[in-house]
Amino acid sequence: MSFVPEFLLKPLRPYLRAILDTRGYAALTSTALYAMQRESLLSNERNRDPKRLLAHGFRGYSQHDEDGMIQEIFRRIGVSNRVFVEFGVGDGTENNTAYLVLSGWRGLWIDGSEANAAAIRTQLFSFIQTGQLSFVRGFVDRDSINEIIEKAHHSGEIDLLSIDIDGNDYWVWEVISVVQPRVVVIEYNAVFRPPLAVVAEYDKNFVWNGTSYYGASLKALESLGAKKGYALVGCSLSGINAFFVKQNLLGDRFCAPFTAENHFEPPRFGFYKTGALDMHAAGVGNYKVL
């Protein structure tokens, strides 16, 4: 478990002792300790910069703190049409745009799991019926993604694109052209720290096996984003998702420089997941060094 500074624990020790005496060790959960560490991290000089996004993170329906960071980005740059596209959405109760659906946005979800599709069609039936939410069951790859989005009647400028397919994220983002998102949220592999720019070789049939072999390093995504006209403006405190904004929308609103070195966050998966480990099991495979 990650280290909790003594200055945070000291004033709490009498209360923690009382809890342990009366309720046992189960009352002192890893969630509580991670929450204290989170506050410690946010209080350091680097993260107190008001242009950083970290302090604005919160979890509504996102996996970690993405809901709050997305909300803050659009508070700074404004919204255009409140339209999103997200693929790799799970069962609809934990992703980066469920919060937006419930806030009145509209858009497209794509997921390849039949179980997830059934859950979405049941739980989000009213949103699908009104046309606020479109859902396509299908596995995306770099050959099919533009066609899938276009067939769902989405094209041109949208506010948000969210990519979380646990593997070919880099390669799929590289080819997306049918929509031009103002903001992109994409998963990165925090095993590889800056300045390493590496990406798992493209495999159309890739299925994540729960290990650390997947996706692309943050530096690789920074470079790809720059080629597509985006700047890296932050990462989730849990070290999972990176946030990109169109370069012409930056102004003086975000923390420069817009580099992996400035915005990298290591994996801290346990902040919002009781009992979660901070690292995936080790996995190896073929990586391309950029």
Side-chain angles (χ1 to χ4, degrees), residues 173 179-184 222 224-232 244-247 250:
W173 184 25
V179 289
Q180 291 81 51
R182 300 169 74 233
V183 176
V184 176
E222 175 205 329
L224 175 59
K227 291 176 185 176
K228 293 178 72 72
Y230 294 87
L232 173 66
F244 291 83
V245 171
K246 270 286 192 182
Q247 291 173 354
L250 292 174

Side-chain angles (χ1 to χ4, degrees), residues 204-215:
K204 183 174 182 176
N205 300 312
F206 181 87
V207 177
W208 184 51
N209 62 5
T211 72
S212 59
Y213 178 63
Y214 66 95

Side-chain angles (χ1 to χ4, degrees), residues 16-33:
L16 296 177
R17 188 175 297 111
I19 292 171
L20 292 173
D21 287 345
T22 58
R23 299 179 59 191
Y25 284 98
L28 186 58
T29 66
S30 59
T31 301
L33 291 175

Side-chain angles (χ1 to χ4, degrees), residues 115-134:
N116 288 340
I120 289 168
R121 289 168 180 151
T122 299
Q123 297 178 110
L124 282 299
F125 174 77
S126 62
F127 298 96
I128 295 173
Q129 187 179 44
T130 63
Q132 182 182 341
L133 177 65
S134 301

Side-chain angles (χ1 to χ4, degrees), residues 2 143 147 246:
S2 300
D143 299 316
E147 182 180 3
K246 270 286 192 182

Side-chain angles (χ1 to χ4, degrees), residues 255-277:
C255 183
F258 306 112
T259 61
E261 287 82 357
N262 184 32
H263 288 295
F264 176 83
E265 295 294 333
R268 304 185 184 102
F269 306 153
F271 275 145
Y272 295 87
K273 297 286 186 178
T274 302
L277 299 176

